[in-house]
C-alpha cells in the first residue's frame, strides 16, 4: 500500500489579480516510517506569490492526517496552470529508531526522499485597473463618550473589516491642528470561513482639545470584488462639541440650589468645597500612603504621586469626576503616559 496519500483541496479558482486564493493540501501518513518534509510549493513562481498560513494534525481512523493551509496571490491576469510539489519519503527501521520525533525523522536522510507532484489546478485571473488592495470591506467609527469637557480625552475606535486582507488599509484622521492625538498599536486578526479569507483591523485613538473640532477620516480607496470597480471607504463628518470645564465644578452643587445662588455665593461655596475636598484627600492619603502634598513657597499645593500605581489608585478613588475617570481610562489604554497625566492634575 502507498505510504503517503496526498489530496489537494481548492475552494475558488476564479479571482482578481492580488486577490487571496485559499487552498489546502492533506497528507495522510499510512505507515509509521512515512514523512513529508517542508512545504508544498508551486513549481513555477513567476506568476504567483504564496504563503503557508496554518498547519494542523489529527488522527483519522488509524492514520495521522496533516493539513497544510495556504494563500495564493496571482501577480498577472489570464489563465494560470498551477502545480505544487513537495518532498516525501520513508525511513528505514534503523533510521526510525534513531529519530526521537517527527521533525528529526524528516531530516535524518535524503536517501529515501522523492519529489511528489500534486495534480494541476487551473486559475482564471481577472485584471484590475489600479494598484489597489482587493477585497470587500466596511469602515466603522465608534465613540466611547457622547459628551466630554474641554481638555478631556475622547476615545474612539476605527475598524476596517471584511473579505480579504484589511491590514494594508490604514485610516488617516482629519483633525484641526490644535487637536492632540494619541494612539495605540493597531490590533489585527484574520480567519478562514467557507474557503475565503476574512480579516479585521482596529485602530484606537484618544483625542484632546480645548476647542470644538470636526472629526473625519480621509477616504480609503480599494478595489471591490463584488462591484468589480474601485471604491472608497469613508464616514460622515463628526462635529465634536465640548462642555466648558467650569461646568465640572457646578456638578458639585445641587442644580436647583445652584440656580438660587448669585455669582458671589457660587464662588464662596466653591471655595468652601475645594478646601473640604483637599482635607478629605489629604486625610485619605495619610492613611493609605498613596501620595503626599509637597509645600511650595508662594504657590498652591500640588499633588505628587510616587508611581503610576499610586496615580491610578487616586484616579479610581475620584472616578466620580469625569476628567479623572477618563485620565484613568487613558492610562489603562496606554494612550497617555504617567508623566502626561500628572502634568494635567
Amino acid at each position: 500500500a502507498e505510504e503517503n496519500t496526498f489530496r489537494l483541496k481548492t475552494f475558488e479558482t476564479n479571482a482578481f489579480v492580488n486577490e487571496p486564493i485559499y487552498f489546502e493540501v492533506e497528507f495522510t501518513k499510512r505507515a509509521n516510517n512515512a514523512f513529508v518534509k517542508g512545504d508544498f510549493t508551486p513549481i513555477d513562481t513567476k506568476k504567483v506569490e504564496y504563503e503557508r498560513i496554518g498547519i494542523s494534525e489529527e488522527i483519522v481512523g488509524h492514520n495521522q492526517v496533516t493539513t497544510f493551509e495556504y494563500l495564493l496571490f496571482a501577480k498577472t491576469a489570464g489563465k494560470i496552470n498551477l502545480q505544487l510539489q513537495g518532498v516525501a519519503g520513508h525511513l528505514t527501521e534503523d533510521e526510525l529508531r534513531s529519530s526521537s520525533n517527527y521533525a528529526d525523522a524528516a531530516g535524518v536522510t535524503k536517501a529515501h526522499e522523492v519529489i511528489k507532484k500534486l495534480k494541476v489546478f487551473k486559475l482564471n485571473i481577472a485584471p484590475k485597473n489600479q494598484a489597489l488592495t482587493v477585497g470587500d470591506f466596511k469602515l466603522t467609527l465608534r465613540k466611547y463618550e457622547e459628551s466630554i469637557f474641554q481638555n478631556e480625552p475622547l476615545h474612539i475606535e476605527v475598524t476596517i473589516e471584511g473579505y480579504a486582507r484589511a491590514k494594508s488599509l490604514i485610516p488617516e484622521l482629519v483633525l484641526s491642528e490644535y487637536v492632540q492625538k494619541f494612539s495605540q498599536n493597531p490590533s489585527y486578526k484574520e480567519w478562514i470561513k467557507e474557503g475565503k479569507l476574512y480579516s479585521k483591523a482596529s485602530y484606537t485613538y484618544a483625542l484632546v482639545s480645548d476647542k470644538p473640532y470636526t472629526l473625519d477620516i480621509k477616504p480609503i480607496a480599494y478595489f471591490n470584488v463584488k462591484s468589480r470597480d474601485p471604491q472608497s471607504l469613508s464616514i460622515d463628518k463628526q462635529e465634536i462639541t465640548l462642555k466648558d470645564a467650569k461646568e465640572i465644578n457646578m456638578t458639585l452643587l445641587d442644580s436647583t440650589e445652584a440656580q438660587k445662588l448669585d455669582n458671589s455665593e457660587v464662588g464662596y461655596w466653591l471655595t468652601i468645597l475645594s478646601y473640604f475636598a483637599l482635607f478629605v484627600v489629604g486625610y485619605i492619603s495619610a492613611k493609605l500612603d498613596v501620595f503626599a502634598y509637597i509645600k511650595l513657597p508662594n504657590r498652591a499645593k500640588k499633588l505628587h504621586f510616587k508611581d503610576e500605581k499610586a496615580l491610578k489608585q487616586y484616579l479610581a478613588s475620584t472616578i466620580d469626576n469625569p476628567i479623572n475617570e477618563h485620565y484613568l481610562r487613558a492610562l489603562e489604554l496606554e494612550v497617555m503616559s504617567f508623566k502626561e497625566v500628572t502634568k494635567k492634575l
Side-chain angles (χ1 to χ4, degrees):
E2 184 180 0
E3 295 173 349
N4 299 321
T5 300
F6 299 89
R7 185 169 76 97
L8 173 66
K9 186 177 181 181
T10 58
F11 296 83
E12 182 62 67
T13 56
N14 298 309
F16 285 92
V17 172
N18 290 331
E19 181 179 356
I21 302 171
Y22 175 77
F23 66 91
E24 298 174 352
V25 177
E26 286 185 359
F27 162 63
T28 301
K29 182 179 177 181
R30 298 190 179 278
N32 192 40
N33 64 340
F35 69 87
V36 62
K37 183 165 67 175
D39 278 323
F40 293 88
T41 59
I43 295 176
D44 184 358
T45 59
K46 294 179 181 178
K47 297 182 179 181
V48 297
E49 294 178 351
Y50 71 98
E51 62 182 87
R52 190 181 76 193
I53 60 171
I55 182 171
S56 60
E57 294 182 349
E58 62 179 335
I59 301 299
V60 179
H62 298 288
N63 301 316
Q64 176 180 298
V65 178
T66 304
T67 301
F68 300 84
E69 298 178 87
Y70 294 91
L71 286 177
L72 189 74
F73 302 86
K75 296 188 288 188
T76 60
K79 295 184 181 297
I80 300 177
N81 293 326
L82 193 68
Q83 187 173 29
L84 303 174
Q85 66 180 14
V87 177
H90 67 276
L91 302 173
T92 65
E93 291 185 6
D94 290 339
E95 290 169 337
L96 188 62
R97 282 193 296 269
S98 66
S99 303
S100 60
N101 54 49
Y102 179 77
D104 289 343
V108 295
T109 182
K110 291 185 178 181
H112 311 293
E113 293 178 358
V114 295
I115 301 297
K116 179 66 178 180
K117 295 182 179 180
L118 305 185
K119 67 177 183 179
V120 175
F121 65 102
K122 298 181 179 181
L123 301 175
N124 299 308
I125 307 300
K128 58 185 181 71
N129 56 5
Q130 294 189 37
L132 299 174
T133 297
V134 176
D136 183 21
F137 305 101
K138 66 177 181 179
L139 170 69
T140 56
L141 169 68
R142 178 185 178 186
K143 294 187 296 182
Y144 285 90
E145 297 87 18
E146 291 301 326
S147 178
I148 57 173
F149 291 92
Q150 292 172 320
N151 295 314
E152 180 183 1
L154 171 66
H155 300 89
I156 65 171
E157 182 179 28
V158 178
T159 301
I160 303 173
E161 63 180 312
Y163 165 64
R165 279 193 165 148
K167 64 182 177 182
S168 60
L169 302 176
I170 302 175
E172 181 181 342
L173 300 189
V174 180
L175 300 164
S176 301
E177 60 181 11
Y178 54 81
V179 179
Q180 298 182 68
K181 180 181 73 174
F182 306 90
S183 61
Q184 284 183 288
N185 291 329
S187 64
Y188 181 76
K189 63 179 180 179
E190 57 184 40
W191 62 95
I192 300 296
K193 180 181 177 182
E194 298 177 351
K196 291 183 178 292
L197 175 72
Y198 292 86
S199 65
K200 179 180 180 180
S202 298
Y203 303 82
T204 304
Y205 306 91
L207 309 176
V208 181
S209 176
D210 60 353
K211 294 182 288 186
Y213 58 93
T214 300
L215 168 61
D216 199 4
I217 297 177
K218 184 178 180 180
I220 305 172
Y222 76 101
F223 186 88
N224 188 284
V225 296
K226 287 188 175 180
S227 62
R228 305 175 71 88
D229 62 7
Q231 292 190 4
S232 62
L233 301 171
S234 62
I235 62 166
D236 295 330
K237 288 183 180 180
Q238 308 285 313
E239 297 298 332
I240 309 301
T241 58
L242 306 175
K243 293 182 180 181
D244 193 322
K246 295 178 182 178
E247 295 180 33
I248 299 176
N249 293 328
M250 294 299 295
T251 61
L252 298 173
L253 301 172
D254 181 82
S255 58
T256 57
E257 292 297 322
Q259 293 176 357
K260 299 177 183 179
L261 299 175
D262 59 22
N263 291 337
S264 61
E265 290 176 317
V266 170
Y268 170 77
W269 284 108
L270 288 178
T271 301
I272 294 297
L273 286 170
S274 65
Y275 279 119
F276 178 73
L278 288 173
F279 168 77
V280 173
V281 170
Y283 177 79
I284 294 174
S285 66
K287 294 293 184 181
L288 299 181
D289 193 30
V290 174
F291 56 87
Y293 285 102
I294 305 299
K295 290 185 178 181
L296 300 176
N298 302 322
R299 293 183 62 183
K301 294 180 179 179
K302 183 176 177 62
L303 297 177
H304 289 259
F305 304 91
K306 59 184 180 181
D307 53 31
E308 184 171 324
K309 180 180 178 181
L311 174 58
K312 286 183 177 179
Q313 288 177 342
Y314 165 70
L315 294 175
S317 69
T318 57
I319 202 167
D320 289 342
N321 184 324
I323 284 188
N324 288 358
E325 177 186 0
H326 292 292
Y327 283 151
L328 178 61
R329 185 181 299 176
L331 279 173
E332 291 173 343
L333 293 175
E334 298 181 355
V335 295
M336 293 184 73
S337 67
F338 170 74
K339 185 177 180 180
E340 290 168 335
V341 174
T342 52
K343 281 185 178 180
K344 298 287 186 180
L345 296 176

